[in-house]
Amino acid sequence: MEEIEIYLESAQETMDGAIKHLAIELGKIRAGKASPQMLEGIQVDYYGSPSPLQNVASVNTPDARTLAIKPFEKRLIADIEKAIRNSNIGLSPNNDGEIIRLSVPPLTEERRQELVKRVKQEVETAKVNVRNVRQDANNSIRKLTKEGVSEDMVKIGEDRVQKLTDDHTEKIDKIFEAKEKDIIEV
């Protein structure tokens, strides 16, 4: 039974990781509201090496449609502007010499539908990842019969893996519903 517990813990951690990854990816999909997460993944040339934007500037949201980026060093404004333009996030930076502002335009209905499709793709990827973890865990547990673990114990292990899978799939569905609502609301 101890081996089964190890496989279950591993499956739990990996499934949790799939949900965390989904949350990160969905955070990058803007829903018409300004969010610092929209800028995650942007790399700024900092003294010759690429650094995440959050490491070279503070990012905040003064209102629902604006992102304000204040570099820790003034000389980085041009590099940050360049990184934002090259990132293809669809926002144009404006700077006043100290702060870069990004205005997030309101979404059209067509764009909202495209974003929902993108969210569905990310959600489906997360579900596939969870199902792959289930399959790997079940295969590992089934192999334990060769090591003398009873078939009843293997069945119990498989049932617990299925429960884990169902729980994580339900969490993914709730995340999807919340993000879809966020995108659709005007």
Side-chain angles (χ1 to χ4, degrees):
M1 191 62 185
E2 196 173 302
E3 295 96 348
I4 292 175
E5 287 299 324
I6 291 170
Y7 290 128
L8 287 169
E9 285 176 23
S10 174
Q12 167 97 37
E13 287 175 19
T14 311
M15 288 180 185
D16 288 346
I19 288 179
K20 285 178 187 163
H21 179 74
L22 174 65
I24 290 168
E25 291 304 311
L26 293 185
K28 293 177 185 175
I29 298 174
R30 66 185 177 98
K33 296 182 199 104
S35 163
Q37 290 174 315
M38 295 167 59
L39 304 177
E40 279 186 21
I42 294 179
Q43 298 287 316
V44 177
D45 184 33
Y46 183 66
Y47 293 108
S49 66
S51 298
L53 177 62
Q54 289 79 356
N55 290 359
V56 298
S58 65
V59 180
N60 59 38
T61 52
D63 61 57
R65 297 239 184 261
T66 308
L67 284 167
I69 304 160
K70 182 168 178 58
F72 299 140
E73 298 175 28
K74 276 189 181 181
R75 70 158 207 82
L76 290 175
I77 284 190
D79 293 331
I80 292 172
E81 267 190 296
K82 181 180 174 186
I84 291 169
R85 281 196 180 93
N86 292 342
S87 70
N88 293 325
I89 60 170
L91 301 175
S92 298
N94 298 317
N95 91 60
D96 63 7
E98 291 194 21
I99 295 176
I100 298 171
R101 287 185 177 76
L102 301 172
S103 294
V104 179
L107 297 174
T108 64
E109 187 61 32
E110 183 179 308
R111 181 72 178 132
R112 289 178 195 279
Q113 295 306 322
E114 288 174 24
L115 290 176
V116 168
K117 283 182 189 175
R118 211 166 119 209
V119 168
K120 284 180 182 176
Q121 289 172 339
E122 292 295 339
V123 164
E124 189 54 38
T125 299
K127 286 182 176 182
V128 167
N129 290 339
V130 167
R131 289 192 295 263
N132 287 341
V133 172
R134 175 190 60 194
Q135 184 176 6
D136 292 345
N138 282 338
N139 289 342
S140 297
I141 290 171
R142 285 186 200 115
K143 288 179 184 172
L144 293 176
T145 54
K146 295 176 185 165
E147 296 177 18
V149 176
S150 73
E151 287 187 26
D152 289 342
M153 295 304 273
V154 168
K155 180 70 176 133
I156 289 169
E158 287 177 337
D159 289 345
R160 288 182 58 197
V161 168
Q162 186 58 49
K163 172 118 178 62
L164 265 179
T165 304
D166 293 343
D167 291 346
H168 282 79
T169 302
E170 192 176 311
K171 286 179 189 175
I172 290 170
D173 288 338
K174 286 180 181 172
I175 291 169
F176 168 69
E177 289 169 13
K179 186 67 175 182
E180 182 182 38
K181 182 181 176 192
D182 193 32
I183 291 171
I184 299 286
E185 280 183 358
V186 178

